[in-house]
Amino acid sequence: RARNTSLYGHANKTTPFLETFAERATTFTQARAPSTWSLPSHVSMFTGLYPYEHQLTSRNQRLESGHTIWEELRDEYAEKVS
């Protein structure tokens, strides 16, 4: 939780690396998870799809290669450097 990080005001130095990283990055004070637990939320972050669209909602399911934003970003990068 954000409230437990020194980046967002916790009295103890709980996240010194994040504080340093945030000096040169964009930080957000409001964020919402698209699901109530990690697996579908992470799949949504990596694909840009809502849980009802990707339908990966149980532990035994896997996201197939080639279905994340990372492949698109890799391809865009490859085009820029070639």
Side-chain angles (χ1 to χ4, degrees), residues 1 6 11 31 33-35 37 42 49 54 60-62 64-66 69 71:
R1 296 189 185 270
S6 49
S35 182
W37 67 291
H42 281 87
L49 300 172
H54 61 65
N60 62 348
Q61 295 176 299
R62 299 286 182 259
E64 293 180 24
S65 296
I69 189 67
E71 288 88 3

Side-chain angles (χ1 to χ4, degrees), residues 74-82:
R74 178 200 59 214
D75 294 345
E76 286 179 16
Y77 176 77
E79 289 176 11
K80 288 180 182 178
V81 297
S82 58

